[in-house]
């Protein structure tokens, strides 16, 4: 493999930038430009460029670890570690029943791993208790997309369409920091005469690029969208022909929006009426327009309704299901899209089938060679699952996630993990969650294994193995196969990713996310294929289905082909400020770190750029607190206290503070966040909670 250039994709976010990897003589791996992939055309952010550093990190795990009698983690053989896991999970199942065993996956797992993990939970363990951290990422957009369009795919069009539309409203996305290479699509949009509107409580690097920046109070963008729709109606900008021909439910949605007159919306959001009018003008004047949402509107206890309100705006103006227009969600995690399509989500079977649909159960059970009645029903959502640890759920197998840092109300989640009878974690480093485990298994990383991911565009991609993994590590697929063997299921768990994908194709065939026409050979030759991509009948087999870059152009995926308006109204967040907690906290990311930081905090260059957490606050708030730049500030919510240095800026509203969530320890932002759940998506309200600020005199200790 020496000096062989392998075209592949970044391990981190859902943009899945293309890159070339070349093994060097000293055992490291060099990243070089891969210009043939149209999404990033060679550009990479610092995270992608430095991703190989984690492959050879000095803290990389290369031996299984087991908890000793003295309570410490000590090296063990693979057989010893696997026997312990099978014993721990099996004992819980025997003593408390299958639903006392939980499984928690991750949006970074490949499609093959997510598929196999879901199958392992349901066929080997027989548990309904499986969910994954993607629930924290985009589940509100998924739920709203299902309601409105009958299908959930992050973007219903390729990113390459963005420069050719007329206006984009970007809601709660700071992609200049989260997905920097994607910014060029918006730069090109502006160069082509289009406009960019950014909705964000902070003047982020992305907002600085906007023609119009709307800065609503956190948690009020539902009202903002309703106010815009009110103006669309009042100004006679509804596309009546489109609404009559391609939608249903307009009258109820219209009535709900008309209750949100502009002055009322200004009072709720803080966005002045003239800015609302300007946003409507910019959005409605061009022939084509788009709305893209990200975690801002989605990570709320009303996230599904909030996204639904933005979709209503698109539908009323005829900007959905037409070329160069539509609503899309900028999915966050590397395989957040594929991870929710193939069975690690609590209510789903592969192919985006529903677990409570008898026909779906029959189809998948036949592929798996089991009785449909043996498959458990839907389980708990991610936070509810974590909250049940140590009570209903006694043992947990966790792959590709670090909830001690990334879950809301993280101190509580940490306590729940500690209260388990047995915890097994598969990871590449000793994450904060792995450090609590009874057994830790060291597993292969992106460049050491082959597998597929599905990007935010719905483009299925092939990540190729570029180097040999170090001695002592095994793939997640090998782990699941070994555990299945030990738990009495000797067949049905192949370790070859392509073999798993062939089975996934059959399991997904005929489902909403149909991958049956996609093969590894096609992925290698075609630079990815957009789902749905069914396998064509034998008489047409010479003509492979081309995949579906653009959805809904002829009809939406609802029974009658019409999109559904969903009537929604403004309501407060789960925790509004009061006298005791008078300030709003919002959380997010910085460019040099990724999610819980389990990987990126192991990269020197990224740590130098983003060494630790901070509290971003307005000078007026800082003055009231008596805090200067860099002073430690305590942020206190009803759930706990976090301390980090002040970063004072006028780029944030005076009633709001911001903390990035990548770090553990005293500055852990998720110590503060509110696990209040959206009633439909079960998404926790990461994006806003009530806090108070306190000065700190002792030095800050972080991570
Ligand atoms: Fe990787 Fe995302 Fe950065 Fe691209 S933008 S290099 S996919 S982290």
């Amino acid at each position: 493999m020496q000096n062989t250039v392998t075209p592949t994709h970044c391990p981190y976010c859902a943009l899945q930038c293309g890159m070339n990897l070349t093994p060097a003589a000293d055992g490291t791996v060099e990243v070089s430009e891969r210009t043939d992939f149209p999404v990033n055309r060679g550009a990479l952010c610092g995270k992608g460029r430095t991703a190989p550093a984690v492959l050879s990190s000095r803290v990389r795990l290369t031996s299984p670890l087991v908890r000793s009698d003295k309570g410490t983690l000590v090296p063990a053989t693979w057989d010893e570690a696997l026997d312990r896991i099978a014993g721990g999970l099996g004992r819980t199942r025997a003593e408390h029943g299958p639903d006392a065993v939980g499984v928690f996956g991750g949006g970074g797992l490949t499609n093959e791993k997510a598929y196999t993990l879901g199958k392992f939970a349901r066929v080997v363990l027989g548990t309904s208790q499986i969910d994954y951290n993607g629930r924290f990422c985009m589940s509100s957009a998924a739920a709203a997309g299902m309601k409105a369009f009958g299908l959930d795919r992050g973007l219903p069009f390729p990113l390459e369409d963005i420069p050719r539309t007329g206006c984009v409203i970007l809601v709660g996305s700071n992609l200049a920091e989260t997905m920097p290479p994607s910014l060029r699509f918006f730069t090109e949009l502006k160069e082509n005469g289009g406009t960019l509107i950014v909705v964000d409580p902070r003047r982020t690097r992305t907002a600085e690029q906007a023609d119009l920046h709307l800065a609503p109070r956190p948690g009020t963008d539902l009202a903002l969208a309703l106010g815009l729709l009110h103006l669309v109606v009042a100004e006679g900008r509804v596309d009546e022909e489109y609404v009559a021909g391609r939608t249903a439910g307009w009258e109820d949605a219209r009535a709900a929006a008309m209750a949100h007159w502009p002055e009322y919306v200004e009072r709720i959001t803080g966005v002045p009426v003239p800015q609302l009018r300007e946003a409507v003008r910019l959005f409605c004047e061009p022939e084509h327009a788009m709305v893209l949402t990200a975690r801002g509107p989605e990570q709320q206890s009303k996230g599904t309704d909030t996204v639904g309100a933005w979709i209503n705006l698109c539908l009323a103006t005829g900007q959905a299901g037409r070329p160069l227009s539509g609503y899309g969600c900028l999915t966050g995690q590397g395989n957040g899209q594929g991870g929710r399509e193939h069975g690690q989500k609590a209510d789903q079977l592969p192919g985006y089938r529903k677990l409570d649909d008898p026909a779906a159960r029959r189809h998948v059970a036949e592929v798996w060679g089991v009785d449909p009645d043996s498959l458990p029903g839907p389980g708990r959502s991610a936070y509810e699952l974590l909250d049940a640890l140590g009570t209903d759920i006694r043992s947990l197998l966790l792959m590709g996630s670090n909830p001690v840092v990334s879950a809301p109300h993280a101190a509580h989640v940490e306590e729940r993990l500690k209260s388990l009878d047995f915890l097994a974690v598969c990871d590449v480093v000793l994450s904060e969650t792995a450090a609590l485990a009874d057994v830790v298994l060291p597993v292969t990383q992106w460049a050491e294994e082959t597998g597929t991911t599905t990007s935010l565009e719905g483009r299925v991609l092939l990540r190729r193995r570029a180097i040999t993994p170090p001695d002592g590590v095994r793939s997640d697929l090998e782990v699941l196969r070994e555990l299945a063997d030990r738990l009495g299921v000797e067949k049905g768990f192949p370790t070859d990713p392509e073999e798993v994908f062939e089975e996934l194709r059959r399991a997904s065939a005929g489902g909403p996310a149909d991958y049956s026409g996609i093969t590894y050979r096609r992925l290698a030759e075609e630079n990815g294929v957009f789902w749905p991509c069914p396998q064509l009948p034998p008489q047409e087999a010479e003509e492979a289905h081309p995949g579906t870059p653009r959805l809904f152009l002829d009809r939406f995926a609802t029974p009658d082909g019409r999109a559904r308006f969903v009537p929604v109204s403004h309501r407060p967040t789960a925790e509004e400020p009061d006298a005791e907690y008078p300030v709003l906290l919002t959380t997010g990311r910085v460019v040099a770190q990724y999610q819980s930081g389990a990987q990126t905090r192991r990269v020197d260059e990224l740590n130098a750029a983003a060494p630790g957490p901070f509290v971003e606050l307005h000078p007026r708030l800082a003055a009231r607190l008596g805090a200067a730049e860099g002073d430690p500030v305590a942020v206190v919510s009803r759930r706990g206290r976090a301390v980090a240095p002040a970063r004072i800026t006028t780029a944030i509203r005076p009633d709001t503070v911001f903390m990035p969530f990548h770090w553990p320890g005293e500055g852990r932002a998720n110590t503060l966040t509110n696990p209040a759940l959206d009633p439909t998506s079960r998404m926790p309200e990461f994006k806003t909670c009530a806090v108070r600020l306190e000065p700190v005199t002792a030095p800050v200790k972080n991570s």
Side-chain angles (χ1 to χ4, degrees), residues 10 12-13 15-17 44-45 47-48 178-181:
C10 176
Y12 295 123
C13 83
L15 207 55
Q16 285 296 284
C17 293
L44 296 170
C45 78
K47 297 183 288 284
T178 55
M179 304 178 166

Side-chain angles (χ1 to χ4, degrees), residues 272-563:
V273 172
Q275 286 192 1
L276 298 175
R277 292 193 188 282
E278 178 65 356
V280 167
R281 187 186 70 77
L282 292 175
F283 187 70
C284 293
E285 282 189 351
E287 188 180 353
H288 309 293
M290 297 174 176
V291 173
L292 304 178
T293 67
R295 305 303 79 75
E298 299 164 14
Q299 289 180 326
Q300 298 185 27
S301 61
K302 51 183 172 175
T304 305
D305 282 0
T306 303
V307 174
W310 289 104
I311 291 175
N312 286 351
L313 180 69
C314 290
L315 294 177
T317 51
Q319 300 292 0
R322 283 175 166 171
L324 305 179
S325 63
Y327 161 78
C329 158
L330 296 160
T331 301
Q333 293 192 79
N335 195 32
Q337 181 70 48
R340 69 185 187 257
E341 294 165 3
H342 297 300
Q344 64 175 332
K345 204 171 170 197
D347 56 351
Q348 281 178 8
L349 287 169
Y352 222 127
R353 288 183 155 92
K354 299 295 286 180
L355 193 47
D356 56 7
D357 172 1
R361 293 169 68 88
R362 275 197 303 278
H363 174 86
V364 174
E366 190 179 338
V367 174
W368 288 352
V370 299
D371 180 348
D373 292 338
S374 71
L375 296 176
R380 290 178 174 87
S381 73
Y383 182 77
E384 291 165 296
L385 190 156
L386 295 171
D387 189 39
L389 299 181
T391 54
D392 294 354
I393 299 173
R394 312 293 318 175
S395 291
L396 182 72
L397 172 65
L398 185 144
M399 273 185 176
S401 187
N402 187 15
V404 168
V405 177
S406 61
H409 199 185
H412 173 69
V413 168
E414 191 172 349
E415 286 309 309
R416 295 288 88 223
L417 284 159
K418 286 177 183 169
S419 71
L420 282 165
D421 294 346
F422 183 80
L423 172 63
V425 173
C426 301
D427 212 327
V428 300
V429 294
L430 194 67
S431 71
E432 289 71 22
T433 306
L436 303 179
D438 296 287
V439 181
V440 183
L441 298 180
V443 289
T444 46
Q445 297 188 48
W446 57 291
E448 299 161 352
E449 57 189 13
T450 293
T452 61
T453 61
T454 306
S455 77
L456 78 174
E457 299 177 294
R459 191 194 299 247
V460 186
L461 300 163
L462 185 62
R463 270 206 213 136
R464 298 170 173 89
R465 174 171 156 142
I467 57 168
T468 306
D471 289 342
V473 306
R474 295 187 187 177
S475 75
D476 291 301
L477 294 178
E478 289 172 314
V479 167
L480 292 172
R481 160 68 176 274
E482 293 282 347
L483 291 177
D485 267 358
R486 282 167 169 79
L487 289 162
V489 179
E490 288 164 13
K491 287 191 182 154
F493 287 86
T495 58
D496 173 25
E498 187 167 5
E499 200 178 329
V500 176
F501 191 81
E502 287 299 307
E503 186 181 307
L504 182 159
R505 289 177 61 199
R506 287 187 283 122
S508 76
D514 190 334
Y515 282 35
S516 60
I518 305 174
T519 61
Y520 268 34
R521 183 184 56 73
R522 280 191 69 177
L523 293 177
E525 289 171 0
E526 297 178 32
N527 232 342
V529 178
F530 291 82
W531 73 258
C533 181
Q535 186 163 33
L536 296 176
Q539 64 273 21
E540 300 170 41
E542 291 293 301
E543 299 286 321
H545 188 288
T548 315
R550 294 171 184 84
L551 294 170
F552 313 138
L553 294 182
D554 300 323
R555 67 191 311 277
F556 294 97
T558 53
D560 61 6
R562 289 171 175 264

